[in-house]
Amino acid sequence: ILANKDPSAKKYAEWTGKACRADGLRYDLRIVDDPINVEDTLIDANDDPRVHGIIVYYPIFGQEESFSGLSHDDYLRDTISYKCDVEGLCHLYRTNLYRNIRFLDYPRNTKKCLLPCTALSVMKLLEESPGCSNSSRPIGQKMRGKTVTVINRSEIVGRPLAAMLANDGAEVFSVDISTIYLFKNGRLEKCDDETPETCVRKSSIVITGVPTKAYRLPTEWIQPNTTVVNVASFKNVDEESLLRIPGVVYIPQVGKVTVAMLERNLVRLFENFHGADSKETPEKESSPWYGNILQLYTAAAVTFMLGMHLALRR
């Protein structure tokens, strides 16, 4: 669903459609001229059995206040059904991510939760980058011992990405315009004594996602052998000076990998909720030990009468 004039959103929509069609997936771009009608369009898509995944290209209302919550865009994210939320940003998936809950159907654990596409693309790129992740370790420990700085704390990228990195064992500094938090061992701590510079200098992985052309990460903060990932649509770092630093690995954009992760999420949604194998058969309820209430009453009455009879005989 596209309901804005943002060139980045339009470009992402084009990439998504091209990739889906190339891979044999049906892609239907629904353009909404008046943003106030997006909610109705979303509800129609939720109820449409032909739709297995929904993506909304934000921002639509930005941080404009909403009667239904902090911002209308946040409200729209939570309007998408978890059975169709291909971006993994609705309330259910966000809460499970922040609580490190990885399955929807505990204790059977057959249906994995979805993860936000852009944050997931960064995780996959780090898995393939030298020295960032150790695949031989168990789940939750693959990035143990790594210190990461994420410069951005948006609900779409920065916050979920910091949580995902921490859930994989890393210590993560989450840097925003006015505050710094540390994600560590499942806990969140405010860091009043840290600055963006001290965080970056301590980190072997630095991820930038500042959505403005004016921002530049000072390259003198970057240590040798650091992996730097630019998630923003603008370049947040001077590439030429960055690559002069010994051993630096630079990933300048993640857009195409993000589209691949969107396709991955779509397949998971189909397997979880829409495919032939996803139809759940209700588990047969086990009968109580006493059968049913009539049998229980009969047994109690017979027991009482037998007891009375024995008592009278004595």
Side-chain angles (χ1 to χ4, degrees), residues 144-208:
R144 188 181 70 237
K146 300 297 179 184
T147 301
V148 185
T149 293
V150 180
I151 305 176
N152 171 287
R153 202 183 304 131
S154 70
E155 288 293 344
I156 297 177
V157 182
R159 192 187 302 267
L161 177 56
M164 289 167 69
L165 291 160
N167 290 349
D168 231 7
E171 294 185 9
V172 186
F173 289 109
S174 174
V175 178
D176 207 14
I177 192 167
S178 58
T179 54
I180 297 174
Y181 286 90
L182 175 65
F183 286 76
K184 179 181 178 181
N185 297 328
R187 297 180 63 85
L188 182 64
E189 304 170 10
K190 191 174 181 182
C191 303
D192 293 323
D193 298 330
E194 299 285 358
T195 66
E197 180 177 355
T198 60
C199 295
V200 171
R201 287 186 180 276
K202 292 176 182 178
S203 300
S204 60
I205 301 170
V206 177
I207 300 162
T208 63

Side-chain angles (χ1 to χ4, degrees), residues 24-207:
L25 302 172
R26 180 165 48 84
Y27 177 83
D28 176 20
L29 182 61
R30 302 184 181 183
I31 297 175
V32 182
D33 294 325
D34 188 344
I36 203 67
N37 294 324
V38 171
E39 183 178 354
D40 289 339
T41 306
L42 269 179
I43 292 170
D44 288 344
N46 280 339
D47 297 336
D48 188 340
R50 300 168 301 169
V51 174
H52 306 132
I54 299 169
I55 181 170
V56 178
Y57 297 100
Y58 300 103
I60 297 176
F61 296 93
Q63 292 307 306
E64 183 179 322
E65 289 187 5
S66 165
F67 177 78
S68 308
L70 289 178
S71 81
H72 205 69
D73 281 2
D74 291 335
Y75 169 71
L76 291 174
R77 272 187 280 276
D78 290 335
T79 303
I80 301 175
S81 165
Y82 72 94
K83 294 183 178 182
C84 294
D85 181 18
V86 79
E87 291 184 281
L89 288 169
C90 70
H91 183 265
L92 175 65
Y93 292 132
R94 289 200 318 271
T95 343
N96 284 355
L97 169 61
Y98 297 142
R99 296 169 61 200
N100 200 11
I101 296 172
R102 300 180 181 234
F103 291 89
L104 290 167
D105 58 341
Y106 178 83
R108 286 187 295 172
N109 293 346
T110 60
K111 295 185 178 183
K112 284 188 175 182
C113 292
L114 267 69
L115 295 167
C117 298
T118 304
L120 183 59
S121 73
V122 175
M123 296 298 294
K124 293 300 180 183
L125 286 164
L126 291 177
E127 285 177 10
E128 300 299 323
S129 299
C132 292
S133 179
N134 188 339
S135 60
S136 66
R137 291 179 180 166
I139 290 173
Q141 297 296 318
K142 294 181 180 181
M143 296 188 72
R144 188 181 70 237
K146 300 297 179 184
T147 301
V148 185
T149 293
V150 180
I151 305 176
N152 171 287
R153 202 183 304 131
S154 70
E155 288 293 344
I156 297 177
V157 182
R159 192 187 302 267
L161 177 56
M164 289 167 69
L165 291 160
N167 290 349
D168 231 7
E171 294 185 9
V172 186
F173 289 109
S174 174
V175 178
D176 207 14
I177 192 167
S178 58
T179 54
I180 297 174
Y181 286 90
L182 175 65
F183 286 76
K184 179 181 178 181
N185 297 328
R187 297 180 63 85
L188 182 64
E189 304 170 10
K190 191 174 181 182
C191 303
D192 293 323
D193 298 330
E194 299 285 358
T195 66
E197 180 177 355
T198 60
C199 295
V200 171
R201 287 186 180 276
K202 292 176 182 178
S203 300
S204 60
I205 301 170
V206 177
I207 300 162

